[in-house]
Amino acid sequence: FGWIYIHAKFDPQSQPLSVVTSAFNRFFMNILANRSEQEYVARVISSLQRNLSSSAIVSLCCLLPSVRNLFPSILRRVVSDEDLSSQNGVVVEDEFASGSQMSRIRLHFIFRKLISALCSVERPLALFFDDLQWADDRCMELLSALMMDRDHLQELDDDDNDDTHCLFVGSFRSNETNDNLLSHFDDFEQSTSVD
């Protein structure tokens, strides 16, 4: 099957985290519509159920509404029917909008496990982030955490070699950068996990 590709394009009007969550949501909508991907989807579900708590899976389903159908028993057990039917992606703002240290740690953890579940030797993952000069602070923090956390990158590696099966690519307009973006780029340059 080859590479999995997820593309996110930032714009100046995007809401915090919305570009990243929309990109993953689109990916899942496409992959779930493809019957030939059932075995891959089953592997992803199994990995997420093994590595995330029920409440983290509920949070993931709030972040990515397209994955709700993958976890019906967990959602029924944890979330009431009324709450489940009223969720439309806005809940993301409730849980992660505060930007508190705990909510950031939880968000980063959920995305680490999601990326770990998505990629493998057979299905490496390429994440392309376009127009990073317009990325909000919370997205840049998430991307930084995903790229620079050495333990996370090693966790992605099932074969105990240096190949992580995940590629992050970003583009930006050099004439429209800001201090926050440049600060993240400085961190990337100093990191041993980012080339």
Side-chain angles (χ1 to χ4, degrees):
F1 284 93
W3 283 83
I4 299 166
Y5 176 74
I6 298 177
H7 173 252
K9 183 174 178 61
F10 293 95
D11 68 67
Q13 283 79 40
S14 59
Q15 297 295 314
L17 299 176
S18 66
V19 172
V20 173
T21 57
S22 293
F24 277 90
N25 203 47
R26 276 191 313 276
F27 165 76
F28 273 104
M29 288 187 322
N30 290 333
I31 202 111
L32 292 172
N34 188 342
R35 288 191 182 273
S36 66
E37 296 287 2
Q38 288 179 349
E39 185 178 318
Y40 172 71
V41 170
R43 186 182 63 76
V44 170
I45 292 169
S46 175
S47 176
L48 291 172
Q49 287 178 325
R50 246 187 350 270
N51 294 300
L52 290 175
S53 67
S54 294
S55 67
I57 288 175
V58 170
S59 294
L60 177 65
C61 291
C62 292
L63 288 163
L64 310 175
S66 61
V67 301
R68 288 182 183 156
N69 292 337
L70 302 179
F71 304 103
S73 62
I74 292 173
L75 291 175
R76 288 258 179 252
R77 193 173 64 235
V78 177
V79 182
S80 73
D81 287 340
E82 183 179 315
D83 289 341
L84 191 57
S85 64
S86 69
Q87 290 178 353
N88 60 6
V90 178
V91 179
V92 173
E93 295 175 15
D94 294 344
E95 182 175 357
F96 298 108
S98 70
S100 70
Q101 179 70 12
M102 287 306 296
S103 70
R104 286 195 314 267
I105 290 169
R106 183 172 171 81
L107 177 71
H108 299 175
F109 176 80
I110 290 170
F111 268 91
R112 284 181 184 118
K113 296 302 182 183
L114 175 62
I115 289 173
S116 181
L118 290 175
C119 61
S120 67
V121 173
E122 302 83 26
R123 300 298 297 269
L125 174 63
L127 297 161
F128 177 60
F129 300 98
D130 196 8
D131 286 331
L132 283 170
Q133 74 277 3
W134 291 321
D136 60 88
D137 292 344
R138 304 234 329 270
C139 280
M140 286 306 298
E141 285 178 11
L142 174 60
L143 298 179
S144 294
L146 294 173
M147 288 190 289
M148 295 191 323
D149 183 344
R150 216 44 183 158
D151 294 334
H152 162 61
L153 293 174
Q154 290 170 352
E155 177 182 309
L156 290 175
D157 181 19
D158 295 335
D159 296 336
D160 292 329
N161 60 29
D162 291 334
D163 202 3
T164 59
H165 320 300
C166 186
L167 173 67
F168 292 85
V169 178
S171 71
F172 66 97
R173 299 175 191 182
S174 60
N175 62 334
E176 296 185 34
T177 59
N178 57 52
D179 289 339
N180 184 42
L181 182 65
L182 294 175
S183 171
H184 283 286
F185 288 165
D186 287 343
D187 292 344
F188 296 158
E189 281 186 29
Q190 295 173 15
S191 172
T192 59
S193 61
V194 178
D195 291 328

